[in-house]
Amino acid sequence: YGLEAAYAEAVRKVQARAATGEKIRVLFLVNMPSMFPGKALMGMLREDPRFEVSLYVIPEVRFGKEEMLREYRLSTETLRKEFPFARQAVEFDDNGEPCHVERPVDESDIVCYPSPYDVSYSVYNPFYAASKGILSIHLNYSYFRSKYDRFIYQLDNYNNFWKVFLECSDNLSEYREYGRCGGLNAVVTGCSKLDRL
């Protein structure tokens, strides 16, 4: 873990921005619409004048170029239907090579990541924000329910998020036991995908 001082400084910066009436810049990164548990949170923040909210679609690079380009196009089309303000983080040339890479994390106060895995280019993965002391948050994209989730609790990214929001106290107990940071960055909020129910 070891990022407490960097995150404490980032919190102070956000509080200073808020105290002077500046908007808090919150970025949501999404690689697949099905892995976007932050929809409800994003909607609430967009209605609050204290926040400036942006949504970027990031390419999922783990499954090869052809699949990445197909999924990236599909994800962008799907998300823009619901959220016309969604932007693509990367532009690709005709050969499927990146020709322009946006860096919205650098201009953000808080970044909500879609996954604890390194799913995209390094500037869109959780360690990037952590290394810069930018406040990073994560909502699980599905309800943690198996022994495999203990592996996720041990991931560097999971332990390096500023805050992770968990579904219930059982998840917190598991994270405290299996996470390397002892669950110090966890908050029990319920499962965000169930909010509409």
Side-chain angles (χ1 to χ4, degrees):
Y1 193 56
L3 296 167
E4 296 89 348
Y7 285 145
E9 178 58 25
V11 168
R12 281 191 289 277
K13 287 180 182 176
V14 170
Q15 289 171 333
R17 286 178 63 84
T20 61
E22 293 180 73
K23 293 187 177 205
I24 307 306
R25 302 163 300 186
V26 182
L27 168 65
F28 288 83
L29 298 175
V30 179
N31 56 319
M32 295 180 201
S34 62
M35 293 174 63
F36 186 21
K39 277 187 189 181
L41 174 62
M42 185 180 75
M44 290 187 304
L45 293 178
R46 281 181 50 82
E47 292 176 8
D48 189 321
R50 296 174 294 177
F51 296 94
E52 176 185 306
V53 178
S54 58
L55 170 63
Y56 276 79
V57 183
I58 59 174
E60 166 81 58
V61 299
R62 296 180 294 170
F63 307 115
K65 184 191 292 187
E66 187 176 311
E67 177 64 17
M68 180 263 299
L69 291 170
R70 186 193 69 75
E71 185 64 41
Y72 189 52
R73 181 184 46 75
L74 182 61
S75 294
T76 300
E77 289 172 5
T78 301
L79 286 165
R80 281 186 175 160
K81 285 178 185 172
E82 190 172 357
F83 309 108
F85 61 92
R87 298 182 60 188
Q88 285 189 317
V90 180
E91 291 178 30
F92 292 94
D93 64 21
D94 294 338
N95 297 319
E97 297 299 321
C99 58
H100 180 72
V101 178
E102 295 277 340
R103 299 175 75 94
V105 174
D106 293 339
E107 304 301 320
S108 302
D109 299 306
I110 301 170
V111 180
C112 183
Y113 284 90
S115 170
Y117 309 114
D118 290 338
V119 299
S120 193
Y121 298 115
S122 62
V123 295
Y124 310 123
N125 287 329
F127 183 74
Y128 182 81
S131 70
K132 295 190 165 285
I134 296 168
L135 300 175
S136 56
I137 63 173
H138 178 65
L139 293 86
N140 293 324
Y141 55 84
S142 66
Y143 199 96
F144 274 17
R145 75 246 161 258
S146 71
K147 289 183 179 179
Y148 173 74
D149 299 323
R150 294 173 180 174
F151 163 77
I152 295 172
Y153 288 142
Q154 296 173 32
L155 293 173
D156 287 342
N157 286 336
Y158 211 85
N159 287 269
N160 287 327
F161 283 123
W162 172 56
K163 297 290 180 197
V164 294
F165 300 99
L166 300 177
E167 299 82 11
C168 67
S169 58
D170 290 338
N171 296 119
L172 180 58
S173 295
E174 288 266 305
Y175 187 29
R176 284 181 176 154
E177 183 174 350
Y178 295 99
R180 287 179 298 101
C181 73
L184 292 175
N185 61 345
V187 180
V188 176
T189 58
C191 184
S192 63
K193 281 190 170 181
L194 297 178
D195 283 350
R196 284 189 290 174
L197 296 178

